[in-house]
Amino acid sequence: MSGDGGPVVGRLSVVGVGPAGPEWITPEVAARLEAATDLVGYGPYLERIAGAHHRVHASDNREELARATHALDMAAEGRDVAVVSGGDPGVFAMAAAVFEALEGAQPRRWAGVEVDVAPGVSAMQAAAARLGAPLGNDFCVISLSDNLKPWSLIQRRVRLAAEGDFAMAFYNPISRARPWQLGEALGIVREVQGPDTLVVLATAVGRGEREDVQISTLGEVDPAAANMSTLVIVGAASTRVLERPSGRRHVYTPRYVESAESR
Ligand code: SAH
């Protein structure tokens, strides 16, 4: 039953399918996808997971609100709709757009639609796990895309995060339309934290031979080595490299912060 006592007529599942292959899809998300009659999302994600029983509604990555509205309309007709994002649906993805659509509509328009969000493995978790534990202490997460917010706000957040000695994960670091933002963001952190601060460019994590993970410092990193499939991790002051006897290098941030490093 919906909150006002009316019948539930349809269901909308907002799910995240992880940053790469099926091993990073949770059993809950797999079950939602199996139950769904219709899949809504960005084409390349849908191709990865669509089954023979699905109606597939692919759309452009930029039309989030229109896509959410379409999904809610289908659910209101009694369909079982899954709105699909890569990674986690709540991290720079479709979950917020669904609630934005719900809030903007007439209260009764989708009254019978039950909306549930199922979490997924986010790119920062996959990238951090590849390295070891670079996000093992306090960290913050910033999208460098200024499509939906002003660049001045991003600059301010990056600077304050650096002043707070947070490790950081940057999503959407670079694109053809936004070629300089990553270099500028890394420059802001470098001004505050210094050129020896660790930075990792983790590209296409989990996607087989395309995966590329580079460990560097703010003094040496080349922002042009990042692309749209890169998750950037910038270390805190205490973030360090641990080299194992095999030569494999891990990056981690200790749980315990020395008072000298806490500024
Ligand atoms: N909801 C997604 C993020 C969508 S924004 C999540 O939770 O992961 C898209 C950005 O995610 C990309 O620009 C990149 O920064 C990051 N990303 C997605 N998949 C990735 C992967 N396999 N490896 C590295 N970064 C990835």
Side-chain angles (χ1 to χ4, degrees):
M1 301 291 275
S2 61
D4 65 353
V8 172
V9 297
R11 172 174 168 106
L12 187 80
S13 302
V14 189
V15 306
V17 294
E23 68 276 19
W24 284 337
I25 295 181
T26 69
E28 180 188 32
V29 168
R32 294 290 183 91
L33 291 173
E34 185 59 32
T37 56
D38 294 72
L39 304 183
V40 176
Y42 180 48
Y45 297 141
L46 299 186
E47 281 163 24
R48 252 158 55 191
I49 46 132
H53 67 291
H54 289 128
R55 289 205 311 205
V56 175
H57 311 270
S59 59
D60 188 272
N61 217 4
R62 290 171 174 255
E63 301 164 356
E64 290 196 346
L65 209 54
R67 189 192 296 167
T69 299
H70 180 217
L72 284 158
D73 280 340
M74 287 193 291
E77 289 163 10
R79 313 285 301 174
D80 187 327
V81 183
V83 173
V84 179
S85 292
D88 180 89
V91 179
F92 310 123
M94 282 302 297
V98 168
F99 291 103
E100 203 184 322
L102 277 173
E103 188 175 24
Q106 308 287 338
R108 301 224 48 83
R109 177 166 172 189
W110 296 308
V113 178
E114 185 102 296
V115 178
D116 285 295
V117 182
V121 176
S122 191
M124 64 183 156
Q125 295 167 296
R130 272 294 187 269
L131 288 152
L135 306 178
N137 208 304
D138 299 338
F139 67 96
C140 63
V141 181
I142 299 175
S143 169
L144 296 190
S145 170
D146 54 357
N147 290 336
L148 301 171
K149 60 189 171 185
W151 179 248
S152 59
L153 178 63
I154 300 172
Q155 287 172 308
R156 178 160 167 259
R157 287 182 173 163
V158 170
R159 179 172 301 280
L160 291 172
E163 285 172 3
D165 191 23
F166 287 95
M168 291 171 229
F170 293 155
Y171 284 74
N172 299 309
I174 209 160
S175 75
R176 234 169 293 152
R178 297 181 292 103
W180 52 265
Q181 280 85 341
L182 175 61
E184 189 174 319
L186 295 175
I188 292 169
V189 186
R190 183 181 156 152
E191 270 172 37
V192 178
Q193 293 279 53
D196 295 334
T197 306
L198 282 170
V199 54
V200 176
L201 304 182
T203 301
V205 176
R207 299 186 190 159
E209 291 189 345
R210 290 180 49 215
E211 177 173 315
D212 179 41
V213 178
Q214 298 181 17
I215 303 171
S216 181
T217 63
L218 287 178
E220 291 174 349
V221 66
D222 176 12
N227 62 43
M228 279 172 66
S229 302
T230 304
L231 189 283
V232 180
I233 295 180
V234 183
S238 63
T239 304
R240 60 199 72 197
V241 175
L242 172 71
E243 187 160 338
R244 303 289 321 285
S246 66
R248 182 169 173 195
R249 298 165 84 216
H250 293 279
V251 177
Y252 83 104
T253 306
R255 302 286 312 281
Y256 180 78
V257 182
E258 301 287 340
S259 56
E261 288 173 338
S262 69
R263 304 169 187 215

